[in-house]
Amino acid sequence: VMDRDRNKTLLLELQRAAGTGNARCADCGAADPEWASYKLGIFICLNCSGIHRNLPQISRVKSLRLDFWENDLLEFMKKHGNLCAKAKYEAKVPPYYYIPQSCDCLVLREQWIRAKYEREEFVATRVCQDPCSAGSREGFLWKRGRESRQFQKRRFLLSAREGVMKYYTKESRGPKAVISIENLNAMFQTEKIQHAHGLQITYNTAGQTRNLFVYHESGKEIVDWFNAIRAARYHYLRTTFPAVPEPELIPRITRNYVKEGYMEKTGPKQKEAFKMRWFCLDSQERNLMYFKNPLDAFAQGQVFIGRMDEGYEVRAGLPQGARVKKRKPAITVVTPKREFVFICENDREQREWIDALNGVIAQP
C-alpha cells in the first residue's frame, strides 16, 4: 500500500512537472491528462487512452489514479514523457498536416495517433513530402447526390500542380466539376452527415458557395484526402503569397464554421412568417449562410457580416416595434441596409450565436 500511494503521488508530480510537456495530453493537448501509456512513456487524456487501447502492439495504458504502478514502470515514465515522445514521433510533421485538438472528431484524433506511433510517419528518418506531390491524389469517395440525396461512388482527382480538384460521375465523360484550389475548403462534419468519416467540401461557383458531402469507409483514406487537400491549399498559398509568414498562412489552409445550427428567420418587413433554417457562420468569408436543410448543395441566402465601424452590430432581443408570437430568445443583426431578425431555440443558443457573430464583427 505504501508503494502504491507513493508511486501514485510521484506519477501525479511527474504529470505536473515543468518542462516535461506532461500537463497536457500528448496527442490532443487536453489539460490535466489522467492516463498514461507505459509503453510509449506519455501522459494522455481519457479519450485518447481509448484509441491507444486499440493498439496493444504499440501502446499499453493505465490510469494515474486508479491503477497500480510498479516501480520499473514509474522509472520508465520518469525517463520519457511527452516532450521526449514529441521529439521522436513528431520530428517531421509537415506544415500542412492537420494536428487535431481535443474538440475534433474521433477519426482525426485516431488517425493522428496511428500516423505517429503505428506508422511512424513523422520520425526523423522519414523524407518530408513536398506539398505539391502530397497535394495530388486520386480515388473514389462516396458523394451525396444533389437531387437523389443518396451516396454514390464518385472518382475524385486532386492536383496541386494544376491547382484543381475534379470529380467524375461517368468514366467516359469529362469531369462533373472542376474546382479551383484557390477557393476550396474541407471540414469534418460527422454529425451533420451522420457518418463517422463524413467530410464537407465547399467551393465558390458563380458567386455562390457549393457544398459537397463525402465519406470513405476507411478512416485513414478520408484523413489522407483531407490532408492532401490541405497540402494542395498550402502549396497554393505559399506560391501566391510568398511574403506572408508561415504562422499566418496555416490557419487559412482550411477552416471550420465558427457556429452552425437551426434558427428561425423572418423576411425584410419583419411581418412574414418565421421559417426554420439551418445557419452556418463562416468567419473567413464573413458570411452567415442559411439553408432549408443542413445537407443542401446551395444556400438559400446569406448575410454579409461587416465591422462595427461599418455599421454592423448584433443585439439580443427584437428590434423596436417587432411583434412575435413566440416566447423565445431573439437576435437582431443590424447591417447598414436592414435589420435581420432570428429566433433561437433557447438562451444558450442565443448567447453562442451572439458571441460568434460579435467575434466576426470584431475581427479586422
Side-chain angles (χ1 to χ4, degrees):
V1 177
M2 289 287 289
D3 246 14
R4 188 181 190 132
D5 290 347
R6 185 184 64 106
N7 285 1
K8 193 177 288 183
T9 309
L10 289 169
L11 260 178
L12 290 166
E13 279 172 13
L14 193 56
Q15 188 252 33
R16 297 184 196 113
T20 59
N22 297 341
R24 291 194 167 270
C25 172
D27 296 324
C28 75
D32 304 318
E34 297 219 330
W35 291 75
S37 165
Y38 58 86
K39 228 173 163 179
L40 294 165
I42 53 172
F43 291 82
I44 52 178
C45 70
L46 174 65
N47 286 339
C48 290
S49 78
I51 300 169
H52 279 261
R53 259 210 185 103
N54 295 331
L55 310 170
Q57 300 83 6
I58 314 153
S59 187
R60 290 287 166 93
V61 297
K62 275 180 187 267
S63 161
L64 303 187
R65 292 180 188 276
L66 309 171
D67 289 320
F68 173 67
W69 284 79
E70 292 83 353
N71 293 341
D72 59 331
L73 295 186
L74 184 67
E75 285 307 310
F76 183 79
M77 294 304 293
K78 272 189 200 164
K79 285 198 186 83
H80 294 80
N82 290 5
L83 283 185
C84 176
K86 193 183 175 80
K88 177 183 176 181
Y89 293 106
E90 295 180 37
K92 284 194 172 174
V93 181
Y96 56 79
Y97 193 97
Y98 184 78
I99 298 177
Q101 294 172 315
S102 55
C103 54
D104 281 305
C105 63
L106 178 65
V107 69
L108 271 172
R109 288 182 292 114
E110 182 184 6
Q111 289 306 315
W112 165 237
I113 288 168
R114 285 182 179 272
K116 277 203 290 186
Y117 310 116
E118 188 178 49
R119 301 192 289 270
E120 297 195 352
E121 284 180 22
F122 315 120
V123 294
T125 49
R126 277 289 175 107
V127 179
C128 243
Q129 250 194 318
D130 148 51
C132 200
S133 63
S136 300
R137 197 169 180 85
E138 191 178 347
F140 287 91
L141 294 170
W142 290 90
K143 180 195 158 289
R144 188 178 190 268
R146 189 178 148 190
E147 304 301 330
S148 73
R149 301 182 180 185
Q150 302 296 314
F151 282 88
Q152 282 151 333
K153 219 170 192 175
R154 296 287 180 248
R155 187 164 74 90
F156 280 78
L157 199 137
L158 174 71
S159 169
R161 199 160 276 111
E162 290 174 45
V164 294
M165 183 174 190
K166 308 172 190 176
Y167 76 90
Y168 299 80
T169 47
K170 296 246 183 352
E171 281 304 309
S172 54
R173 295 204 193 125
K176 182 85 164 100
V178 178
I179 303 156
S180 164
I181 284 168
E182 180 188 354
N183 58 45
L184 179 66
N185 186 36
M187 63 186 105
F188 275 90
Q189 291 277 19
T190 56
E191 283 172 34
K192 195 156 97 173
I193 298 171
Q194 293 187 324
H195 192 287
H197 306 157
L199 191 68
Q200 177 175 348
I201 295 169
T202 66
Y203 62 96
N204 294 353
T205 171
Q208 271 190 304
T209 299
R210 167 80 159 101
N211 297 323
L212 303 177
F213 299 98
V214 300
Y215 71 83
H216 196 282
E217 293 95 334
S218 151
K220 179 182 185 299
E221 191 70 20
I222 200 72
V223 173
D224 285 350
W225 266 103
F226 178 60
N227 280 308
I229 289 170
R230 285 180 60 88
R233 284 273 307 151
Y234 175 77
H235 174 73
Y236 161 76
L237 291 169
R238 256 275 146 270
T239 42
T240 316
F241 308 103
V244 176
E246 192 104 307
E248 281 177 46
L249 275 190
I250 304 295
R252 301 189 81 85
I253 300 179
T254 57
R255 62 193 184 277
N256 293 333
Y257 291 138
V258 190
K259 182 161 172 64
E260 288 188 87
Y262 283 109
M263 288 193 287
E264 292 177 62
K265 78 173 285 291
T266 180
K269 296 197 183 73
Q270 294 167 9
K271 304 257 189 296
E272 298 89 339
F274 276 84
K275 292 194 173 96
M276 189 66 89
R277 293 292 177 256
W278 178 266
F279 287 83
C280 304
L281 180 59
D282 182 346
S283 67
Q284 203 163 296
E285 296 289 323
R286 308 191 77 110
N287 249 342
L288 179 65
M289 297 172 280
Y290 53 92
F291 302 80
K292 209 167 177 177
N293 301 298
L295 297 179
D296 284 349
F298 291 100
Q300 282 196 315
Q302 54 192 39
V303 182
F304 178 77
I305 309 292
R307 300 192 313 270
M308 191 162 278
D309 57 12
E310 299 169 327
Y312 288 83
E313 194 190 336
V314 56
R315 298 178 187 149
L318 298 162
Q320 294 276 279
R323 297 271 176 275
V324 177
K325 289 193 184 100
K326 295 178 174 156
R327 286 257 171 263
K328 277 189 174 173
I331 294 175
T332 304
V333 175
V334 181
T335 77
K337 292 210 174 111
R338 64 172 266 206
E339 293 180 342
F340 291 86
V341 182
F342 306 112
I343 290 178
C344 303
E345 272 304 290
N346 51 47
D347 293 343
R348 196 197 69 198
E349 281 289 306
Q350 180 199 38
R351 264 199 318 276
E352 285 181 8
W353 276 112
I354 289 174
D355 289 348
L357 288 158
N358 272 329
V360 177
I361 289 169
Q363 80 184 14

